[in-house]
Amino acid sequence: MKCRVCRGPAVIDVRRHNANFCPEHFLKLCRDQVAKAIEKHSMLEPGDRVLVAVSGGKDSLAVWDILLELGYEADGLYLGLGIDGYSDRSGEVARRFADERGLSLEAVDLPGEYGFDVPDGARAARRVPCSACGLSKRHLFDEAARRGGYDAVATGHNLDDEAAVLFGNVLRWQGEYLGRQRPVLHEGDGFPRKVKPLVRLGERETAAWCVLRGIDYVVEECPMAAGNRHLGYKEALNAIEERSPGTKHDFYFGFLARAADRFAEDVEAERGPLGTCTRCGSPTGAEVCAFCRLLERAGGHLPDGRTPGSEPTPDGPVPVALGPTRQGRP
Ligand code: AMP
Ligand code: FES
Ligand code: ZN
Ligand code: ZN
């Protein structure tokens, strides 16, 4: 097996590109693919301050590492979600990565600061854990980005993730979600910009990036996600990809190029007037935002100790400025 670029000994094959690579040229391929995604989808400008949402897994540590390599100013944000031992182990790995490199990592602990964890939230909302988890994560990412004045929040979503989400949305023809499934969601209405710089890399590649760069990451998956629909979609797509390499790429990028715009009407139809949550000050279409409603049902409290239903104090959250457009969130 020889490297496509230098003909030296290759360590990895990338079937989608019908090529093998040595360590040096594989790392270059990954950096180039991320730079291309950022440029093509106008994710970031030189000099942007980026907040990277770091879970301790391979994807989010790889995206942080690559953004730094590409010269962006990037700090990390770790959310402790209170999931068995998994959250503690992920937090330790994320912290070690940051400490070893002298990087800044903010940690927000959901049970410590808000008085409830993801299992509590899932029970209270009578929904699958990933749904309470996703809602909490989005809220805390937005909140931390506003507080820290960051230009964008970057997550480690890769091509496998995005193709599987697209597959699920297509199976149910969820028009609003399809209209919002983009690698970049622009800022507006008090929501920060959200970017997914790894959309051109598969998870096998992000794992290889970490191994070749000597990055220790949490290999175990979240125990609460076991058996969920999303994993089933991933398995189905993996079986197809095995027979026809490149299918995931064509499915996802074909959708972005040829179909995503067709769902703009569905997004428009769901768009309502936006105000400010009376409890936490974040932008919402309702009087109380979905996170504060979840927090109330789960028996939690706001970080300043206010319990649900109490009025904001004069020192409470500052209302966010509202712009002309609303940012979409699946
Ligand atoms: P997931 O929804 O678990 O597939 O994660 C998608 C992305 O969300 C990851 O690549 C991270 O960027 C981010 N993320 C997930 N869990 C956490 C966490 N506990 N703290 C910070 N970011 C996270
Ligand atoms: Fe969210 Fe597992 S990380 S449910
Ligand atoms: Zn080479
Ligand atoms: Zn709120």
Side-chain angles (χ1 to χ4, degrees), residues 277 280 282 289 292:
C277 173
C280 73
S282 53
C289 77
C292 285

Short mmCIF file of all heavy atoms in Angstrom, two decimals, residues 277 280 282 289 292, ligand 4:
data_model
loop_
_atom_site.label_atom_id
_atom_site.label_comp_id
_atom_site.label_asym_id
_atom_site.label_seq_id
_atom_site.Cartn_x
_atom_site.Cartn_y
_atom_site.Cartn_z
N CYS A 277 -36.95 34.97 26.63
CA CYS A 277 -37.45 34.13 27.73
C CYS A 277 -37.53 34.98 29.00
O CYS A 277 -36.56 35.64 29.38
CB CYS A 277 -36.51 32.94 27.93
SG CYS A 277 -36.92 31.95 29.37
N CYS A 280 -34.75 33.29 31.63
CA CYS A 280 -33.29 33.26 31.47
C CYS A 280 -32.78 34.29 30.48
O CYS A 280 -31.57 34.49 30.35
CB CYS A 280 -32.82 31.86 31.06
SG CYS A 280 -33.22 31.47 29.35
N SER A 282 -32.92 34.20 27.18
CA SER A 282 -32.49 33.75 25.85
C SER A 282 -33.63 33.90 24.85
O SER A 282 -34.80 33.95 25.23
CB SER A 282 -31.95 32.33 25.91
OG SER A 282 -32.87 31.49 26.52
N CYS A 289 -38.58 29.76 27.53
CA CYS A 289 -37.90 28.94 26.53
C CYS A 289 -37.97 27.44 26.88
O CYS A 289 -38.28 27.08 28.02
CB CYS A 289 -36.44 29.38 26.38
SG CYS A 289 -35.36 28.82 27.71
N CYS A 292 -35.87 26.32 29.90
CA CYS A 292 -36.42 26.67 31.22
C CYS A 292 -37.65 25.82 31.55
O CYS A 292 -37.88 25.50 32.72
CB CYS A 292 -36.76 28.16 31.28
SG CYS A 292 -35.28 29.18 31.43
ZN ZN B 4 -35.19 30.35 29.39
#
